[in-house]
Amino acid sequence: MADSTTTLTFIVLLVFGLCQGPWDQVQAGVVPKPSIWADPGPIITEGSPVTIWCQGSLQASAYLLYKERGSEPWDTRIPQDSSNKAGFLIGAMMSPHAGRYQCAYHTTGDILSERSDPLLLVMTGFYGAPSLSAQPGPVVASGENVSLSCSSLFTWGTFHLLKEEGADQPQHMEAEPRMHAGTWQAIFPLGPVSPSHGGTYRCYGCSKSYPNVWSQASAPLHIEVTAYGTQDYTVENLIRMGMAGLILVVLGVLLFQARNDTRKTHAAARMRTQRQQHTVQSGGALETI
């Protein structure tokens, strides 16, 4: 009897444990960590709108947005019915809006979640655009190396390299002076390259004082990655053309020789004929005498 009671108790506890879900976690003070993102993206042109989204739980009663790890919320939003997220709209991006953001939420049980991972919001367009070039060139064979050089006349602290329509994170390099050219530059090495490196790149610059306020974008630079072992057939084609020309010259010489030989043969035949005719005529004259 005791064994049956123990077994029944174990089954009840097991079923109770399996039936616990997110709501029970909320009641116990454990709520999911929210996620944060920016729409249309975290790099926004000056004056353009952007929405910061915070997604948490259906039990959320209010969403809180924090800036630069501040202790007080930067803004608060009440979610709509049956929604597990809230949006914080910035109507026109300005330099004070740039920086790191985190979000959290309160539940109906007045439990505060932990903060999300940080979101870096960057504003572009504050300075003039740098220039971007490729060395040795924008067309590179797979497996080879290429370097992208971002340069400007402005004294900037950091250059940033971005690939358009790519999931890769921006690359960052400290600016270095080029004394002979009077410019600042950063060189981003790429390689050994693969087809995934192909695409359009742009670069930006920023000062050390305001690292989240970037310049205008450089002109786009398209990198083309060709198949491994692709050769330049220019020299080979020139050799082929030279050989074809030589063959034509030889054929021309042979043809000229053949025609010349034919003329000589015809001339010799005519001379023999004329001699024979002269001999016949001379013989006839002697007989008459």
Side-chain angles (χ1 to χ4, degrees):
M1 184 68 177
D3 292 339
S4 300
T5 303
T6 303
T7 302
L8 181 60
T9 303
F10 174 77
I11 293 173
V12 170
L13 290 175
L14 178 62
V15 171
F16 179 76
L18 292 176
C19 290
Q20 286 184 332
W23 176 250
D24 301 289
Q25 294 178 353
V26 171
Q27 292 293 86
V30 179
V31 296
K33 180 180 178 179
S35 57
I36 188 172
W37 70 93
D39 184 26
I43 302 176
I44 305 298
T45 305
E46 183 180 18
S48 298
V50 60
T51 301
I52 300 176
W53 288 96
C54 184
Q55 182 174 350
S57 169
L58 290 173
Q59 285 75 42
S61 59
Y63 284 89
L64 314 175
L65 185 65
Y66 299 88
K67 188 172 186 294
E68 301 297 346
R69 299 179 181 179
S71 58
E72 296 297 324
W74 189 70
D75 201 356
T76 304
R77 288 287 185 273
I78 304 299
Q80 298 180 354
D81 294 340
S82 302
S83 178
N84 65 342
K85 62 183 179 180
F88 299 83
L89 174 65
I90 298 176
M93 184 72 179
M94 302 299 289
S95 56
H97 298 131
R100 294 185 181 273
Y101 291 85
Q102 289 178 292
C103 72
Y105 62 92
H106 276 291
T107 67
T108 51
D110 201 24
I111 298 174
L112 180 63
S113 73
E114 64 175 308
R115 295 189 183 186
S116 66
D117 293 332
L119 168 71
L120 178 60
L121 201 62
V122 172
M123 189 198 79
T124 66
F126 196 77
Y127 311 101
S131 61
L132 182 63
S133 60
Q135 300 296 333
V139 180
V140 57
S142 181
E144 300 297 328
N145 296 312
V146 64
S147 296
L148 305 187
S149 173
C150 188
S151 61
S152 175
L153 294 173
F154 293 97
T155 307
W156 281 332
T158 307
F159 285 103
H160 311 274
L161 180 69
L162 281 76
K163 182 181 179 184
E164 293 184 354
E165 300 180 357
D168 299 338
Q169 293 296 319
Q171 299 183 46
H172 316 283
M173 294 283 288
E174 292 295 321
E176 296 182 354
R178 298 177 62 192
M179 298 302 182
H180 64 282
T183 60
W184 292 73
Q185 75 165 4
I187 297 178
F188 298 87
L190 298 180
V193 299
S194 64
S196 63
H197 288 97
T200 302
Y201 292 81
R202 293 177 184 267
C203 74
Y204 301 79
C206 71
S207 69
K208 293 182 179 180
S209 302
Y210 301 97
N212 301 321
V213 178
W214 294 2
S215 69
Q216 297 175 6
S218 68
L221 174 65
H222 184 73
I223 299 298
E224 179 182 353
V225 179
T226 60
Y228 180 77
T230 299
Q231 299 179 355
D232 185 359
Y233 293 99
T234 303
V235 176
E236 186 175 343
N237 289 335
L238 289 175
I239 294 174
R240 289 178 178 176
M241 292 174 64
M243 291 296 295
L246 180 61
I247 292 173
L248 289 175
V249 170
V250 173
L251 289 175
V253 171
L254 293 175
L255 180 60
F256 176 78
Q257 256 184 340
R259 293 183 63 183
N260 194 35
D261 291 344
T262 302
R263 289 176 180 175
K264 289 180 178 180
T265 302
H266 289 167
R270 284 196 300 269
M271 289 181 66
R272 285 195 299 269
T273 302
Q274 290 175 358
R275 287 176 181 176
Q276 291 175 357
Q277 291 177 351
H278 179 72
T279 301
V280 172
Q281 291 176 356
S282 298
L286 290 173
E287 289 179 359
T288 303
I289 295 173

